[in-house]
Amino acid sequence: MALAAAGRFPRTRRQFASTSRSIDRLGEQALFFARAIAWAPRAVRRYPKETLRLIAEISMGTGALAVIGGTVVIVGFLTLFTGGTIAVQGYSSLGNIGVEALTGFFAAFINVRIAAPVIAGIGLAATIGAGSTAQLGAMRVSEEIDALETMAIPSIPYLVSTRVMAGMIAIVPLYALAVIASFIASRFATVVLYDQSAGVYDHYFSTFLIPTDILWSFAQAIVMAIAIMLIHTYYGFTASGGPVGVGVAVGNAVRSSLIAVVTVTLLISLAIYGGSGNFNLSG
């Protein structure tokens, strides 16, 4: 009877099987993330040299990437050009309604709350995230992770938790550079290229730049870094299928981390600023 029912509804069986596999993967990821976070403080104490090496690698890069300064330069240039774009679009759009003087407000508001965190998250996913997936994936397919475990070295604390902590520590100076670069670019584009009064720009910029927004922006960047490192290390740690499987893992990890970046930005923005943006403009 069961065989007859199974033969009569093959599409339903496939849908149930696909749903079951998806739920299993979610459970595996949640367990992996929990173990990696739980081990993070102990991993730093047990493997301080490895953590410091990873911080340097994340910040300045290795090999050919180190020639251009690694993640520092990439994230810096991304946010630099993003800040300039915000100033150009803000000045043009606000000028259409005669309030181009508010470009300073536009730069202070958009850069801190949306642009800088999102662009920095994308830069992290494309550099240290993809690199971590490729590294761990290569170690998995070449059985180096299995060799570590046979030597009684716990693989998740040594390979994953150290990377999560290194990413969380390295993001603070990296994001500070990103925010400063976006501020400089916005001011340069508005004052120098569009010839707006520096006093007008600085007045509105300083008026609407709320210190607590910067603190929340850093908190958002740290949460993004943790999410990115967890996602990328998971896909690298569980890669299979040889070099092709590593490439597939990198692609899946980048896709998932970009979704995580946007999701974190949305949830934190709604939780902190609400639907109205938590600002008032009058006069």
Side-chain angles (χ1 to χ4, degrees):
M1 204 60 183
L3 291 175
R8 292 174 58 186
F9 305 103
R11 182 177 299 178
T12 303
R13 287 193 303 111
R14 288 195 297 268
Q15 291 178 348
F16 274 112
S18 177
T19 302
S20 177
R21 287 193 297 269
S22 299
I23 294 174
D24 289 342
R25 283 195 297 269
L26 288 175
E28 292 175 0
Q29 290 186 30
L31 181 60
F32 179 88
F33 296 161
R35 292 177 62 188
I37 293 174
W39 266 98
R42 295 167 62 185
V44 173
R45 294 195 301 268
R46 292 185 62 176
Y47 311 112
K49 292 183 179 180
E50 178 67 10
T51 305
L52 290 175
R53 184 189 70 81
L54 290 170
I55 292 174
E57 180 178 312
I58 288 172
S59 301
M60 300 306 299
T62 57
L65 189 61
V67 176
I68 61 173
T71 311
V72 174
V73 173
I74 292 174
V75 173
F77 270 104
L78 282 175
T79 51
L80 183 73
F81 290 118
T82 301
T85 303
I86 288 173
V88 171
Q89 293 296 327
Y91 190 91
S92 301
S93 301
L94 294 173
N96 291 333
I97 56 176
V99 289
E100 62 272 9
L102 294 176
T103 306
F105 149 73
F106 201 75
F109 185 82
I110 301 297
N111 276 326
V112 174
R113 297 191 178 190
I114 301 174
V118 171
I119 297 302
I122 293 173
L124 291 174
T127 53
I128 62 174
S132 297
T133 305
Q135 288 176 349
L136 295 180
M139 294 178 69
R140 171 60 72 185
V141 299
S142 62
E143 299 183 352
E144 293 181 33
I145 296 178
D146 297 331
L148 283 175
E149 293 176 348
T150 59
M151 293 186 293
I153 298 176
S155 55
I156 289 182
Y158 184 75
L159 297 175
V160 177
S161 299
T162 52
R163 281 174 166 79
V164 173
M165 291 300 295
M168 187 179 67
I169 295 171
I171 189 60
V172 176
L174 285 176
Y175 187 67
L177 174 66
V179 173
I180 293 172
S182 65
F183 288 166
I184 292 174
S186 297
R187 191 180 191 279
F188 177 84
T190 306
V191 175
V192 177
L193 299 183
Y194 284 107
D195 200 28
Q196 185 181 90
S197 170
V200 172
Y201 179 89
D202 292 341
H203 167 71
Y204 284 104
F205 181 82
S206 59
T207 299
F208 290 99
L209 182 62
I210 305 173
T212 54
D213 284 358
I214 298 178
L215 294 178
W216 282 118
S217 184
F218 270 89
Q220 179 178 338
I222 293 173
V223 173
M224 282 184 183
I226 295 174
I228 289 170
M229 295 307 296
L230 287 173
I231 291 171
H232 280 272
T233 51
Y234 169 78
Y235 278 99
F237 194 84
T238 58
S240 61
V244 175
V246 175
V248 172
V250 172
N252 291 334
V254 171
R255 179 186 61 191
S256 300
S257 62
L258 293 181
I259 294 173
V261 166
V262 177
T263 303
V264 168
T265 302
L266 174 63
L267 294 178
I268 291 183
S269 297
L270 289 176
I272 298 171
Y273 309 118
S276 65
N278 193 27
F279 76 96
N280 296 309
L281 183 64
S282 61

